[in-house]
Amino acid sequence: MATREVIHFSDSLPAEKRTIRNSILRELLLELDKNKIDPRGIEITGARLTGDLDLVDVTLPVGLHLIRCELTGSLCLQGAQLIRLILQGSRIRDLRADGVQVQKGINAQDVHCEGAFRLIGSTIEGQLNLAGATIIGDGHSGLLADGMRVGGDALLRQAPSGRPFVARGDKDGAVRLLAAEIGGNLDCERAVFNSAQAAAFDGERARVGGNIILRSIRSRGDVILQRASVRGQLNCKNAEIDGLVADGLQTDDDVILSGLRAGRAGPDATVSLIGARVGGHLVCDEGGVAGPGLSLDLRFVSVGKALSLRPDFFAARNGGTVVLDGLTYPAIPYGMERDEWLAFLRHRTEGHAAQPYQQLAAAYRSAGREDDARVVLIAQQDHRSADPRLARRTRLRLRLLRLTLGYGYQSWRALIGLLLNLALAVVVVIGAANWSTAVHTQATENGRPGPCRFVYKIGLGIDLAIPLVNTSSRQHCDLTATKPSEEWIVAVCWVFQILGWALATLFVAGYTGLIRKG
């Protein structure tokens, strides 16, 4: 060992000729500081290492490279300090490395671990490479790395050979990275996670300096990213999972959920991003999200750039319930046109909520599309008026405002009503003058009333139908019932006066915005 740092066993040798007892290997490693060893480390290839390799709290001045080896016992590295750890292609019973410190990274590509792979509280200055690894787990956990610190990337992805990263675990989940800190990317592309009892992937409160890549993963069990912080993007494109819980997530870049397929069996939302802050785009399209209850929960999500949300994000084109109350975004969302958005808000959301409509209207208004904004706000009130929880009196009031003012956004409706009231009043006055004596002059030369001039008939209709307008026609022409059969004419003209006041008041209130404020 003092002169040769590489021990290579041919795969053709029988197992007994490739066997090294780990107790002997431990003694040799403990003597490293007394021998001149190549700083590139000790490399053992193709060996069968029997028993536990106990290096707890040991400081190794060089790296430990176990390539394509078989370890029949546990690899115990709790509190150890190493330059580098390589387990590439090896088969191990389990790894117990809580609190380990590795200066130049861990390479466990294509490793096969029969038990748990523990790295709780570990510090890895370089890269953690578990690409193509298989972690069977011990019945409780697979990869357990709470509080782990990695200076570079953490690769839990498919290896170049095409072998995926596979992790299983029940009680503690398949992969658990609670409050872990990763300086580069957390790359899980095409990984497979399996947990029957807990979240399959739990990255709650994790901090990632690059991207979280969950593209094309397969997860039996939820993916948890609650209160995680990501300097880059979260990419879940084409992932197949039970559910995604990312409440309080913060990303500086995009959140991409395109092609996501999820189907939670429980009552909670299948995809939940409550209170998340997305610095870039939020993209939800071409997916297959389903569930017996709520499919998508975007309450109080803040989107820094654009929102893309399409009906094809859900497994059933006409199915999938969403909650969007509190969702904010700076620009007109893409993926759906205005009328599609209104139908989506009306039929896909749980109950009536004003904020999603008002946010959509604000986006249209900021783009200078005032007409579209008004249509959206009217649709919001239509949705509200259809709410069965409203009192009947409130529903009737809203329907009246819809008819007369478009809820205050179409004051021209009251103006048209006022003009129609005027036209009808003039017609009634002219008709009453032609077929009765109810419309007459104030007095004639013989003291008896006579017929009015045509212009005064029109003026009298204007005075009746439009408040605060005085054409002085009553000085020349008046409307009074001279006999009982004409009293209905007077009553009808009172109706015109009442309607005139009501419509004029509504027009002023709508024009000045008082109705909208109410």
Side-chain angles (χ1 to χ4, degrees), residues 443-487:
T444 60
E445 294 178 356
N446 57 12
R448 307 176 84 181
C452 296
R453 292 184 180 182
F454 185 77
V455 67
Y456 294 140
K457 297 176 187 177
I458 294 176
L460 180 58
I462 294 173
D463 290 345
L464 290 172
I466 302 181
L468 303 180
V469 173
N470 185 4
T471 64
S472 300
S473 295
R474 285 183 179 271
Q475 297 178 7
H476 307 282
C477 191
D478 201 0
L479 173 66
T480 56
T482 59
K483 47 190 173 182
S485 60
E486 296 174 346
E487 292 179 352

mmCIF file of all heavy atoms in Angstrom, residues 443-487:
data_model
loop_
_atom_site.group_PDB
_atom_site.id
_atom_site.type_symbol
_atom_site.label_atom_id
_atom_site.label_comp_id
_atom_site.label_asym_id
_atom_site.label_seq_id
_atom_site.Cartn_x
_atom_site.Cartn_y
_atom_site.Cartn_z
ATOM 1 N N ALA A 443 -105.544 78.450 -21.603
ATOM 2 C CA ALA A 443 -106.861 79.099 -21.741
ATOM 3 C C ALA A 443 -106.979 79.676 -23.143
ATOM 4 O O ALA A 443 -105.980 79.929 -23.818
ATOM 5 C CB ALA A 443 -107.021 80.200 -20.708
ATOM 6 N N THR A 444 -108.191 79.854 -23.581
ATOM 7 C CA THR A 444 -108.438 80.461 -24.895
ATOM 8 C C THR A 444 -109.130 81.804 -24.690
ATOM 9 O O THR A 444 -109.370 82.248 -23.567
ATOM 10 C CB THR A 444 -109.326 79.546 -25.743
ATOM 11 O OG1 THR A 444 -110.562 79.349 -25.066
ATOM 12 C CG2 THR A 444 -108.646 78.202 -25.975
ATOM 13 N N GLU A 445 -109.485 82.425 -25.814
ATOM 14 C CA GLU A 445 -110.109 83.746 -25.728
ATOM 15 C C GLU A 445 -111.467 83.680 -25.048
ATOM 16 O O GLU A 445 -111.894 84.607 -24.368
ATOM 17 C CB GLU A 445 -110.259 84.337 -27.134
ATOM 18 C CG GLU A 445 -108.907 84.638 -27.789
ATOM 19 C CD GLU A 445 -109.101 85.182 -29.200
ATOM 20 O OE1 GLU A 445 -110.268 85.223 -29.642
ATOM 21 O OE2 GLU A 445 -108.089 85.541 -29.818
ATOM 22 N N ASN A 446 -112.164 82.563 -25.215
ATOM 23 C CA ASN A 446 -113.479 82.422 -24.579
ATOM 24 C C ASN A 446 -113.393 81.780 -23.198
ATOM 25 O O ASN A 446 -114.409 81.389 -22.619
ATOM 26 C CB ASN A 446 -114.435 81.637 -25.472
ATOM 27 C CG ASN A 446 -113.857 80.252 -25.817
ATOM 28 O OD1 ASN A 446 -112.882 79.809 -25.221
ATOM 29 N ND2 ASN A 446 -114.496 79.593 -26.787
ATOM 30 N N GLY A 447 -112.121 81.599 -22.672
ATOM 31 C CA GLY A 447 -111.946 81.049 -21.332
ATOM 32 C C GLY A 447 -111.930 79.549 -21.282
ATOM 33 O O GLY A 447 -111.830 78.961 -20.201
ATOM 34 N N ARG A 448 -112.046 78.898 -22.435
ATOM 35 C CA ARG A 448 -112.045 77.440 -22.465
ATOM 36 C C ARG A 448 -110.730 76.971 -23.097
ATOM 37 O O ARG A 448 -110.210 77.579 -24.017
ATOM 38 C CB ARG A 448 -113.226 76.913 -23.275
ATOM 39 C CG ARG A 448 -114.559 77.510 -22.795
ATOM 40 C CD ARG A 448 -115.695 77.059 -23.653
ATOM 41 N NE ARG A 448 -116.183 75.758 -23.226
ATOM 42 C CZ ARG A 448 -117.176 75.122 -23.823
ATOM 43 N NH1 ARG A 448 -117.722 75.630 -24.919
ATOM 44 N NH2 ARG A 448 -117.598 73.972 -23.364
ATOM 45 N N PRO A 449 -110.115 75.840 -22.571
ATOM 46 C CA PRO A 449 -108.856 75.339 -23.146
ATOM 47 C C PRO A 449 -109.047 74.860 -24.567
ATOM 48 O O PRO A 449 -110.135 74.381 -24.944
ATOM 49 C CB PRO A 449 -108.472 74.198 -22.211
ATOM 50 C CG PRO A 449 -109.766 73.745 -21.599
ATOM 51 C CD PRO A 449 -110.628 74.974 -21.489
ATOM 52 N N GLY A 450 -107.962 74.965 -25.342
ATOM 53 C CA GLY A 450 -108.000 74.536 -26.726
ATOM 54 C C GLY A 450 -106.828 73.625 -27.062
ATOM 55 O O GLY A 450 -106.014 73.276 -26.196
ATOM 56 N N PRO A 451 -106.700 73.242 -28.301
ATOM 57 C CA PRO A 451 -105.607 72.350 -28.686
ATOM 58 C C PRO A 451 -104.257 73.079 -28.638
ATOM 59 O O PRO A 451 -104.166 74.274 -28.875
ATOM 60 C CB PRO A 451 -105.968 71.942 -30.113
ATOM 61 C CG PRO A 451 -106.833 73.058 -30.622
ATOM 62 C CD PRO A 451 -107.600 73.564 -29.456
ATOM 63 N N CYS A 452 -103.194 72.282 -28.323
ATOM 64 C CA CYS A 452 -101.828 72.815 -28.246
ATOM 65 C C CYS A 452 -101.155 72.741 -29.607
ATOM 66 O O CYS A 452 -101.466 71.876 -30.439
ATOM 67 C CB CYS A 452 -101.010 72.014 -27.233
ATOM 68 S SG CYS A 452 -101.593 72.130 -25.549
ATOM 69 N N ARG A 453 -100.203 73.636 -29.779
ATOM 70 C CA ARG A 453 -99.372 73.540 -30.967
ATOM 71 C C ARG A 453 -98.455 72.319 -30.855
ATOM 72 O O ARG A 453 -98.120 71.876 -29.768
ATOM 73 C CB ARG A 453 -98.523 74.798 -31.123
ATOM 74 C CG ARG A 453 -99.334 76.043 -31.444
ATOM 75 C CD ARG A 453 -98.392 77.214 -31.665
ATOM 76 N NE ARG A 453 -99.141 78.418 -31.977
ATOM 77 C CZ ARG A 453 -98.595 79.599 -32.251
ATOM 78 N NH1 ARG A 453 -97.261 79.701 -32.219
ATOM 79 N NH2 ARG A 453 -99.332 80.645 -32.519
ATOM 80 N N PHE A 454 -98.062 71.817 -32.004
ATOM 81 C CA PHE A 454 -97.274 70.573 -32.039
ATOM 82 C C PHE A 454 -95.961 70.711 -31.273
ATOM 83 O O PHE A 454 -95.550 69.818 -30.536
ATOM 84 C CB PHE A 454 -97.006 70.190 -33.500
ATOM 85 C CG PHE A 454 -96.309 68.866 -33.635
ATOM 86 C CD1 PHE A 454 -97.006 67.673 -33.473
ATOM 87 C CD2 PHE A 454 -94.944 68.807 -33.897
ATOM 88 C CE1 PHE A 454 -96.370 66.459 -33.589
ATOM 89 C CE2 PHE A 454 -94.296 67.589 -34.019
ATOM 90 C CZ PHE A 454 -95.013 66.403 -33.867
ATOM 91 N N VAL A 455 -95.294 71.858 -31.424
ATOM 92 C CA VAL A 455 -94.003 72.040 -30.766
ATOM 93 C C VAL A 455 -94.148 72.024 -29.253
ATOM 94 O O VAL A 455 -93.273 71.529 -28.521
ATOM 95 C CB VAL A 455 -93.334 73.336 -31.253
ATOM 96 C CG1 VAL A 455 -94.106 74.577 -30.801
ATOM 97 C CG2 VAL A 455 -91.882 73.405 -30.748
ATOM 98 N N TYR A 456 -95.300 72.540 -28.746
ATOM 99 C CA TYR A 456 -95.510 72.552 -27.297
ATOM 100 C C TYR A 456 -95.843 71.157 -26.780
ATOM 101 O O TYR A 456 -95.546 70.832 -25.624
ATOM 102 C CB TYR A 456 -96.615 73.536 -26.930
ATOM 103 C CG TYR A 456 -96.248 74.977 -27.220
ATOM 104 C CD1 TYR A 456 -97.186 75.871 -27.742
ATOM 105 C CD2 TYR A 456 -94.958 75.451 -26.965
ATOM 106 C CE1 TYR A 456 -96.854 77.192 -28.013
ATOM 107 C CE2 TYR A 456 -94.627 76.771 -27.234
ATOM 108 C CZ TYR A 456 -95.567 77.630 -27.762
ATOM 109 O OH TYR A 456 -95.228 78.925 -28.028
ATOM 110 N N LYS A 457 -96.443 70.342 -27.644
ATOM 111 C CA LYS A 457 -96.688 68.945 -27.248
ATOM 112 C C LYS A 457 -95.346 68.216 -27.033
ATOM 113 O O LYS A 457 -95.165 67.480 -26.057
ATOM 114 C CB LYS A 457 -97.496 68.223 -28.321
ATOM 115 C CG LYS A 457 -98.882 68.783 -28.540
ATOM 116 C CD LYS A 457 -99.557 68.052 -29.715
ATOM 117 C CE LYS A 457 -100.894 68.712 -30.082
ATOM 118 N NZ LYS A 457 -101.508 68.046 -31.251
ATOM 119 N N ILE A 458 -94.425 68.438 -27.953
ATOM 120 C CA ILE A 458 -93.111 67.806 -27.811
ATOM 121 C C ILE A 458 -92.414 68.326 -26.564
ATOM 122 O O ILE A 458 -91.815 67.567 -25.779
ATOM 123 C CB ILE A 458 -92.259 68.063 -29.058
ATOM 124 C CG1 ILE A 458 -92.884 67.367 -30.276
ATOM 125 C CG2 ILE A 458 -90.815 67.561 -28.848
ATOM 126 C CD1 ILE A 458 -92.160 67.651 -31.574
ATOM 127 N N GLY A 459 -92.472 69.642 -26.351
ATOM 128 C CA GLY A 459 -91.845 70.221 -25.167
ATOM 129 C C GLY A 459 -92.432 69.682 -23.886
ATOM 130 O O GLY A 459 -91.694 69.446 -22.901
ATOM 131 N N LEU A 460 -93.764 69.478 -23.868
ATOM 132 C CA LEU A 460 -94.411 68.941 -22.673
ATOM 133 C C LEU A 460 -93.909 67.515 -22.393
ATOM 134 O O LEU A 460 -93.650 67.153 -21.241
ATOM 135 C CB LEU A 460 -95.927 68.936 -22.857
ATOM 136 C CG LEU A 460 -96.750 68.393 -21.680
ATOM 137 C CD1 LEU A 460 -96.476 69.183 -20.415
ATOM 138 C CD2 LEU A 460 -98.246 68.428 -22.018
ATOM 139 N N GLY A 461 -93.726 66.718 -23.452
ATOM 140 C CA GLY A 461 -93.182 65.360 -23.267
ATOM 141 C C GLY A 461 -91.762 65.396 -22.729
ATOM 142 O O GLY A 461 -91.385 64.590 -21.864
ATOM 143 N N ILE A 462 -90.961 66.359 -23.203
ATOM 144 C CA ILE A 462 -89.588 66.486 -22.703
ATOM 145 C C ILE A 462 -89.594 66.858 -21.226
ATOM 146 O O ILE A 462 -88.836 66.303 -20.423
ATOM 147 C CB ILE A 462 -88.819 67.533 -23.530
ATOM 148 C CG1 ILE A 462 -88.632 67.033 -24.975
ATOM 149 C CG2 ILE A 462 -87.467 67.848 -22.894
ATOM 150 C CD1 ILE A 462 -88.023 68.070 -25.896
ATOM 151 N N ASP A 463 -90.474 67.817 -20.842
ATOM 152 C CA ASP A 463 -90.533 68.230 -19.437
ATOM 153 C C ASP A 463 -90.938 67.073 -18.532
ATOM 154 O O ASP A 463 -90.449 66.961 -17.393
ATOM 155 C CB ASP A 463 -91.538 69.371 -19.277
ATOM 156 C CG ASP A 463 -91.043 70.662 -19.913
ATOM 157 O OD1 ASP A 463 -89.826 70.735 -20.205
ATOM 158 O OD2 ASP A 463 -91.851 71.581 -20.123
ATOM 159 N N LEU A 464 -91.818 66.210 -19.025
ATOM 160 C CA LEU A 464 -92.258 65.082 -18.218
ATOM 161 C C LEU A 464 -91.175 64.014 -18.071
ATOM 162 O O LEU A 464 -91.014 63.412 -17.005
ATOM 163 C CB LEU A 464 -93.508 64.451 -18.847
ATOM 164 C CG LEU A 464 -94.798 65.267 -18.788
ATOM 165 C CD1 LEU A 464 -95.879 64.600 -19.630
ATOM 166 C CD2 LEU A 464 -95.265 65.410 -17.336
ATOM 167 N N ALA A 465 -90.416 63.748 -19.139
ATOM 168 C CA ALA A 465 -89.516 62.586 -19.184
ATOM 169 C C ALA A 465 -88.116 62.864 -18.670
ATOM 170 O O ALA A 465 -87.437 61.951 -18.182
ATOM 171 C CB ALA A 465 -89.426 62.053 -20.615
ATOM 172 N N ILE A 466 -87.674 64.133 -18.761
ATOM 173 C CA ILE A 466 -86.284 64.432 -18.385
ATOM 174 C C ILE A 466 -86.295 65.402 -17.215
ATOM 175 O O ILE A 466 -86.755 66.543 -17.356
ATOM 176 C CB ILE A 466 -85.499 65.031 -19.568
ATOM 177 C CG1 ILE A 466 -85.513 64.066 -20.752
ATOM 178 C CG2 ILE A 466 -84.053 65.329 -19.144
ATOM 179 C CD1 ILE A 466 -84.759 64.564 -21.950
ATOM 180 N N PRO A 467 -85.785 64.980 -16.055
ATOM 181 C CA PRO A 467 -85.781 65.865 -14.884
ATOM 182 C C PRO A 467 -84.874 67.075 -15.104
ATOM 183 O O PRO A 467 -83.909 67.025 -15.860
ATOM 184 C CB PRO A 467 -85.225 64.969 -13.769
ATOM 185 C CG PRO A 467 -85.383 63.574 -14.270
ATOM 186 C CD PRO A 467 -85.271 63.649 -15.756
ATOM 187 N N LEU A 468 -85.206 68.126 -14.397
ATOM 188 C CA LEU A 468 -84.412 69.358 -14.385
ATOM 189 C C LEU A 468 -84.313 70.015 -15.752
ATOM 190 O O LEU A 468 -83.472 70.892 -15.962
ATOM 191 C CB LEU A 468 -82.991 69.081 -13.843
ATOM 192 C CG LEU A 468 -82.924 68.468 -12.442
ATOM 193 C CD1 LEU A 468 -81.467 68.244 -12.048
ATOM 194 C CD2 LEU A 468 -83.619 69.340 -11.420
ATOM 195 N N VAL A 469 -85.138 69.605 -16.690
ATOM 196 C CA VAL A 469 -85.197 70.248 -18.004
ATOM 197 C C VAL A 469 -86.536 70.981 -18.108
ATOM 198 O O VAL A 469 -87.599 70.385 -17.879
ATOM 199 C CB VAL A 469 -85.055 69.224 -19.140
ATOM 200 C CG1 VAL A 469 -85.300 69.894 -20.507
ATOM 201 C CG2 VAL A 469 -83.676 68.596 -19.104
ATOM 202 N N ASN A 470 -86.494 72.259 -18.441
ATOM 203 C CA ASN A 470 -87.712 73.070 -18.534
ATOM 204 C C ASN A 470 -87.731 73.779 -19.875
ATOM 205 O O ASN A 470 -86.920 74.661 -20.137
ATOM 206 C CB ASN A 470 -87.744 74.090 -17.391
ATOM 207 C CG ASN A 470 -89.056 74.881 -17.369
ATOM 208 O OD1 ASN A 470 -89.969 74.630 -18.154
ATOM 209 N ND2 ASN A 470 -89.129 75.846 -16.455
ATOM 210 N N THR A 471 -88.641 73.353 -20.719
ATOM 211 C CA THR A 471 -88.774 73.977 -22.043
ATOM 212 C C THR A 471 -89.781 75.119 -22.045
ATOM 213 O O THR A 471 -90.043 75.704 -23.111
ATOM 214 C CB THR A 471 -89.215 72.924 -23.063
ATOM 215 O OG1 THR A 471 -90.516 72.440 -22.722
ATOM 216 C CG2 THR A 471 -88.229 71.761 -23.104
ATOM 217 N N SER A 472 -90.366 75.409 -20.872
ATOM 218 C CA SER A 472 -91.406 76.451 -20.731
ATOM 219 C C SER A 472 -92.667 76.111 -21.513
ATOM 220 O O SER A 472 -93.528 76.991 -21.734
ATOM 221 C CB SER A 472 -90.873 77.824 -21.206
ATOM 222 O OG SER A 472 -89.747 78.194 -20.431
ATOM 223 N N SER A 473 -92.804 74.853 -21.937
ATOM 224 C CA SER A 473 -93.996 74.472 -22.701
ATOM 225 C C SER A 473 -95.252 74.500 -21.843
ATOM 226 O O SER A 473 -96.360 74.693 -22.355
ATOM 227 C CB SER A 473 -93.808 73.062 -23.290
ATOM 228 O OG SER A 473 -92.766 73.062 -24.228
ATOM 229 N N ARG A 474 -95.115 74.329 -20.509
ATOM 230 C CA ARG A 474 -96.293 74.323 -19.649
ATOM 231 C C ARG A 474 -96.958 75.700 -19.569
ATOM 232 O O ARG A 474 -98.098 75.798 -19.109
ATOM 233 C CB ARG A 474 -95.910 73.842 -18.255
ATOM 234 C CG ARG A 474 -95.685 72.328 -18.187
ATOM 235 C CD ARG A 474 -95.369 71.886 -16.765
ATOM 236 N NE ARG A 474 -95.173 70.451 -16.685
ATOM 237 C CZ ARG A 474 -96.143 69.567 -16.469
ATOM 238 N NH1 ARG A 474 -97.392 69.979 -16.335
ATOM 239 N NH2 ARG A 474 -95.882 68.294 -16.400
ATOM 240 N N GLN A 475 -96.267 76.743 -19.980
ATOM 241 C CA GLN A 475 -96.903 78.065 -20.032
ATOM 242 C C GLN A 475 -97.912 78.151 -21.156
ATOM 243 O O GLN A 475 -98.794 79.013 -21.138
ATOM 244 C CB GLN A 475 -95.835 79.148 -20.209
ATOM 245 C CG GLN A 475 -94.857 79.224 -19.046
ATOM 246 C CD GLN A 475 -93.781 80.265 -19.278
ATOM 247 O OE1 GLN A 475 -93.832 81.021 -20.261
ATOM 248 N NE2 GLN A 475 -92.803 80.311 -18.365
ATOM 249 N N HIS A 476 -97.758 77.268 -22.123
ATOM 250 C CA HIS A 476 -98.657 77.290 -23.280
ATOM 251 C C HIS A 476 -99.513 76.032 -23.381
ATOM 252 O O HIS A 476 -100.527 76.045 -24.079
ATOM 253 C CB HIS A 476 -97.821 77.414 -24.559
ATOM 254 C CG HIS A 476 -96.871 78.566 -24.531
ATOM 255 N ND1 HIS A 476 -97.257 79.880 -24.754
ATOM 256 C CD2 HIS A 476 -95.528 78.605 -24.275
ATOM 257 C CE1 HIS A 476 -96.208 80.668 -24.666
ATOM 258 N NE2 HIS A 476 -95.134 79.908 -24.365
ATOM 259 N N CYS A 477 -99.055 74.945 -22.722
ATOM 260 C CA CYS A 477 -99.754 73.664 -22.895
ATOM 261 C C CYS A 477 -99.633 72.883 -21.586
ATOM 262 O O CYS A 477 -98.578 72.875 -20.955
ATOM 263 C CB CYS A 477 -99.113 72.890 -24.039
ATOM 264 S SG CYS A 477 -100.063 71.447 -24.570
ATOM 265 N N ASP A 478 -100.722 72.243 -21.195
ATOM 266 C CA ASP A 478 -100.702 71.530 -19.925
ATOM 267 C C ASP A 478 -101.377 70.174 -20.091
ATOM 268 O O ASP A 478 -102.039 69.902 -21.103
ATOM 269 C CB ASP A 478 -101.411 72.354 -18.852
ATOM 270 C CG ASP A 478 -100.980 71.933 -17.453
ATOM 271 O OD1 ASP A 478 -100.141 71.005 -17.362
ATOM 272 O OD2 ASP A 478 -101.468 72.519 -16.477
ATOM 273 N N LEU A 479 -101.198 69.343 -19.066
ATOM 274 C CA LEU A 479 -101.786 68.001 -19.081
ATOM 275 C C LEU A 479 -102.594 67.837 -17.806
ATOM 276 O O LEU A 479 -102.034 67.771 -16.706
ATOM 277 C CB LEU A 479 -100.686 66.931 -19.155
ATOM 278 C CG LEU A 479 -101.154 65.481 -19.004
ATOM 279 C CD1 LEU A 479 -102.041 65.089 -20.198
ATOM 280 C CD2 LEU A 479 -99.966 64.542 -18.924
ATOM 281 N N THR A 480 -103.890 67.803 -17.931
ATOM 282 C CA THR A 480 -104.791 67.569 -16.798
ATOM 283 C C THR A 480 -105.958 66.740 -17.274
ATOM 284 O O THR A 480 -106.331 66.763 -18.447
ATOM 285 C CB THR A 480 -105.324 68.891 -16.221
ATOM 286 O OG1 THR A 480 -105.970 69.638 -17.277
ATOM 287 C CG2 THR A 480 -104.196 69.710 -15.602
ATOM 288 N N ALA A 481 -106.509 65.978 -16.358
ATOM 289 C CA ALA A 481 -107.675 65.146 -16.691
ATOM 290 C C ALA A 481 -108.930 65.997 -16.581
ATOM 291 O O ALA A 481 -109.271 66.492 -15.500
ATOM 292 C CB ALA A 481 -107.748 63.950 -15.759
ATOM 293 N N THR A 482 -109.600 66.202 -17.700
ATOM 294 C CA THR A 482 -110.839 66.991 -17.697
ATOM 295 C C THR A 482 -112.048 66.129 -17.429
ATOM 296 O O THR A 482 -113.140 66.655 -17.187
ATOM 297 C CB THR A 482 -111.000 67.709 -19.044
ATOM 298 O OG1 THR A 482 -111.034 66.734 -20.096
ATOM 299 C CG2 THR A 482 -109.836 68.668 -19.270
ATOM 300 N N LYS A 483 -111.895 64.824 -17.462
ATOM 301 C CA LYS A 483 -112.970 63.899 -17.144
ATOM 302 C C LYS A 483 -112.362 62.590 -16.658
ATOM 303 O O LYS A 483 -111.177 62.307 -16.887
ATOM 304 C CB LYS A 483 -113.865 63.669 -18.360
ATOM 305 C CG LYS A 483 -113.118 63.385 -19.651
ATOM 306 C CD LYS A 483 -114.090 63.413 -20.828
ATOM 307 C CE LYS A 483 -113.326 63.289 -22.153
ATOM 308 N NZ LYS A 483 -114.252 63.359 -23.301
ATOM 309 N N PRO A 484 -113.100 61.763 -15.948
ATOM 310 C CA PRO A 484 -112.548 60.542 -15.337
ATOM 311 C C PRO A 484 -111.857 59.602 -16.322
ATOM 312 O O PRO A 484 -110.878 58.949 -15.973
ATOM 313 C CB PRO A 484 -113.781 59.886 -14.699
ATOM 314 C CG PRO A 484 -114.708 61.026 -14.433
ATOM 315 C CD PRO A 484 -114.507 61.987 -15.550
ATOM 316 N N SER A 485 -112.320 59.541 -17.527
ATOM 317 C CA SER A 485 -111.733 58.603 -18.491
ATOM 318 C C SER A 485 -110.318 58.997 -18.904
ATOM 319 O O SER A 485 -109.606 58.218 -19.543
ATOM 320 C CB SER A 485 -112.615 58.491 -19.736
ATOM 321 O OG SER A 485 -112.751 59.769 -20.365
ATOM 322 N N GLU A 486 -109.895 60.226 -18.544
ATOM 323 C CA GLU A 486 -108.552 60.683 -18.913
ATOM 324 C C GLU A 486 -107.537 60.589 -17.766
ATOM 325 O O GLU A 486 -106.371 60.954 -17.938
ATOM 326 C CB GLU A 486 -108.630 62.135 -19.394
ATOM 327 C CG GLU A 486 -109.460 62.294 -20.661
ATOM 328 C CD GLU A 486 -109.652 63.753 -21.041
ATOM 329 O OE1 GLU A 486 -109.369 64.628 -20.188
ATOM 330 O OE2 GLU A 486 -110.056 64.012 -22.174
ATOM 331 N N GLU A 487 -108.008 60.080 -16.610
ATOM 332 C CA GLU A 487 -107.097 60.024 -15.464
ATOM 333 C C GLU A 487 -105.924 59.060 -15.694
ATOM 334 O O GLU A 487 -104.821 59.268 -15.185
ATOM 335 C CB GLU A 487 -107.877 59.600 -14.216
ATOM 336 C CG GLU A 487 -108.867 60.676 -13.761
ATOM 337 C CD GLU A 487 -109.657 60.242 -12.545
ATOM 338 O OE1 GLU A 487 -109.531 59.050 -12.152
ATOM 339 O OE2 GLU A 487 -110.395 61.071 -11.990
#
